[in-house]
């Protein structure tokens, strides 16, 4: 009898043991899943937040942004023989075709007189980063600006370096530490004759020296960063020399490009570097102010 009772109890004990083991296994799996979920949650919580959008969400109307009558009339002389309505059309400009007015817009003007032809164009580009987790809109705009600066063959601005005490003096290689020494005139030198031009003064009847070229360089006081690119076409016997000044500046996530070209009608006339650059820079400053309105 006892053996029969034991035989009946053993299967029940085995079944209970199996059920207990299965429950423990399920508990272990559930616990592992919760641990993984907690770990994943912690890992996700440590990710950096995406950068905020750039300062500018839209662009100004390009023709209106440059519609400063005084600056435009200084850059574009009035062609002869035009009616007031035609003059208004000249200074109103022609907008460039654009598929997205919030990303890229432009406008251009032209004026022609018997003496010269002048061309002006303005271009606005709003730069957007499609992955602000790795780069902001401003970062992308800076990359675009640096590429334009490199294309203009201008060095990226950096800290100014002061030459050491032993640095060579380019004006006088034999005297590295000081300025070029001037040679005093001999004691018995005769004074210049009355009416003779002083040293360094051009003689009467000679043509004045050409105006200095300001050249291309990085600009300060215009937007976040800016540069100017000044190019003069080669001289020729029959071809007139034209000058094209391009200013590029960045303000936050917007890149502005301004190009101003002066093309004389007759050879031998060289447009002034200082005057052309000054007119272009004045308009660029006005555009920067218009962006901040």
């Amino acid at each position: 009898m006892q053996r029969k009772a034991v035989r009946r109890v053993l299967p029940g004990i085995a079944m209970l043991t199996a059920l207990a083991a299965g429950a423990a296994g399920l508990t272990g799996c559930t616990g592992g899943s919760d641990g993984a979920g907690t770990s994943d949650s912690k890992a996700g919580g440590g990710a950096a937040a995406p950068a905020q959008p750039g300062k500018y969400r839209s662009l100004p109307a390009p023709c209106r942004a440059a519609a400063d009558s005084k600056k435009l009339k200084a850059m574009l002389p009035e062609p002869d023989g035009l009616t007031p309505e035609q003059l208004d059309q000249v200074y109103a400009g022609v907008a460039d075709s654009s598929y997205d007015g919030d990303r890229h817009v432009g406008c251009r003007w032209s004026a022609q007189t018997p003496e010269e032809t002048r061309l002006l164009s303005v271009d606005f580009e709003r730069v957007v980063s499609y992955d602000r987790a790795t780069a902001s809109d401003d970062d992308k705009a800076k990359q675009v600006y640096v590429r334009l600066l490199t294309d203009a063959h201008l060095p990226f601005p950096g800290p100014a370096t002061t030459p050491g005490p032993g640095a060579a003096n380019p004006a006088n290689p034999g005297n590295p530490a000081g300025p070029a020494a001037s040679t005093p005139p001999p004691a018995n030198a005769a004074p210049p004759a009355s009416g003779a031009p002083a040293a360094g003064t051009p003689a009467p009847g000679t043509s004045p020296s050409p105006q200095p070229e300001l050249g291309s360089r990085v600009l300060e006081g215009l937007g976040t960063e800016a540069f100017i690119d000044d190019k003069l076409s080669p001289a020729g016997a029959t071809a007139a020399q034209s000058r094209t000044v391009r200013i590029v500046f960045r303000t936050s996530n917007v890149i502005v490009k301004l190009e101003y070209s002066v093309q004389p009608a007759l050879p031998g006339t060289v447009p002034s570097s200082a005057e052309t650059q000054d007119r272009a820079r004045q308009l660029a400053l006005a555009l920067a102010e218009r962006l901040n309105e």
Side-chain angles (χ1 to χ4, degrees):
M1 294 294 293
Q2 292 179 354
R3 291 179 178 178
K4 291 181 178 181
V6 171
R7 290 176 180 176
R8 292 176 181 174
V9 172
L10 286 176
I13 294 175
M15 183 176 295
L16 290 174
T17 303
L19 291 174
L26 290 174
T27 304
C29 293
T30 305
S33 298
D34 292 343
T38 304
S39 176
D40 291 343
S41 176
K42 290 181 180 179
Q52 293 295 321
K55 177 181 178 180
Y56 300 101
R57 308 290 183 89
S58 61
L59 293 174
C63 296
R64 293 181 182 178
D68 186 316
S69 59
K70 292 183 179 179
K71 290 183 175 60
L72 283 180
K73 287 183 179 180
M75 301 177 78
L76 306 169
E78 295 184 5
D80 298 331
L82 296 184
T83 64
E85 292 78 11
Q86 292 173 329
L87 284 176
D88 290 340
Q89 292 179 357
V90 169
Y91 293 119
V94 178
D96 296 339
S97 58
S98 175
Y99 297 101
D100 189 348
D102 289 335
R103 292 292 306 277
H104 198 173
V105 293
C107 187
R108 58 190 64 248
W109 298 259
S110 64
Q112 185 174 6
T113 64
E115 293 78 20
E116 60 187 4
T117 298
R118 298 190 185 184
L119 306 174
L120 172 67
S121 66
V122 171
D123 181 276
F124 294 86
E125 179 183 0
R126 186 173 67 93
V127 182
V128 175
S129 173
Y130 292 103
D131 186 5
R132 287 201 293 269
T134 58
S136 65
D137 293 350
D138 283 24
D139 293 336
K140 286 293 184 181
K142 187 175 183 65
Q143 293 175 12
V144 174
Y145 172 82
V146 170
R147 185 169 64 248
L148 294 171
L149 183 71
T150 304
D151 293 342
H153 304 290
L154 290 174
F156 192 78
T161 57
T162 304
N169 180 15
N172 186 10
N175 182 18
S182 58
T183 303
N188 56 354
S194 177
T201 304
T206 60
S207 59
S209 58
Q211 297 181 356
E213 291 287 326
L214 298 182
S216 306
R217 64 197 184 280
V218 173
L219 296 177
E220 295 182 357
L222 177 59
T224 307
E225 48 194 349
F227 70 87
I228 187 168
D229 187 16
D230 187 339
K231 292 183 179 179
L232 184 66
S233 65
T238 58
Q241 286 184 276
S242 62
R243 183 181 300 279
T244 299
V245 169
R246 185 171 64 117
I247 294 180
V248 177
F249 69 90
R250 178 180 75 88
T251 298
S252 186
N253 61 317
V254 169
I255 303 288
V256 181
K257 289 176 281 187
L258 183 155
E259 186 168 296
Y260 181 45
S261 179
V262 180
Q263 304 172 358
L266 299 176
T269 304
V270 180
S272 167
S273 175
E275 182 178 341
T276 308
Q277 287 196 19
D278 181 67
R279 289 173 176 171
R281 185 168 183 174
Q282 292 300 321
L283 182 58
L285 290 170
L287 294 177
E289 293 178 359
R290 187 64 59 89
L291 279 174
N292 293 325
E293 290 180 355

